[in-house]
Amino acid sequence: LGAYRSEQEARNDWAQMQKKYKQFSSMQPVIVKADLGEKGTYYRLRTGTFSTSGEAKAFCNTMTILGQACILPTK
């Protein structure tokens, strides 16, 4: 859903997404710290525990249509 320079930025954006999109109302944020070496550390905002990859893809497609960036993680 996004990549941020601080964990707090990720949490703040999550709160805004929950207000804007009903699809996030029952979901919890997952924030993954990513050390990218010289590029610095980023905090990736994710959500959802999907039963299948198809379910995750359908959710992501819906969010993209609504204007929210959404990229499925590769791992």
Side-chain angles (χ1 to χ4, degrees), residues 49-59 72:
T49 303
F50 300 101
S51 299
T52 67
S53 60
E55 188 179 297
K57 186 175 181 177
F59 176 81
L72 295 174

Side-chain angles (χ1 to χ4, degrees), residues 29-58:
V30 176
I31 299 172
V32 178
K33 185 177 179 179
D35 183 349
L36 303 179
E38 290 183 16
K39 292 182 181 180
T41 300
Y42 285 82
Y43 296 83
R44 295 175 178 158
L45 177 59
R46 299 176 177 176
T47 192
T49 303
F50 300 101
S51 299
T52 67
S53 60
E55 188 179 297
K57 186 175 181 177

Side-chain angles (χ1 to χ4, degrees), residues 6-73:
S6 75
E7 185 174 351
Q8 189 58 51
E9 283 181 272
R11 292 191 183 285
N12 291 345
D13 207 26
W14 173 256
Q16 294 302 314
M17 287 180 202
Q18 281 196 302
K19 290 177 185 175
K20 187 173 181 179
Y21 304 109
K22 65 179 179 161
Q23 289 84 349
F24 292 121
S25 63
S26 64
M27 296 181 161
Q28 296 297 314
V30 176
I31 299 172
V32 178
K33 185 177 179 179
D35 183 349
L36 303 179
E38 290 183 16
K39 292 182 181 180
T41 300
Y42 285 82
Y43 296 83
R44 295 175 178 158
L45 177 59
R46 299 176 177 176
T47 192
T49 303
F50 300 101
S51 299
T52 67
S53 60
E55 188 179 297
K57 186 175 181 177
F59 176 81
C60 202
N61 287 342
T62 297
M63 296 317 301
T64 300
I65 289 167
L66 293 174
Q68 172 57 51
C70 187
I71 299 170
L72 295 174

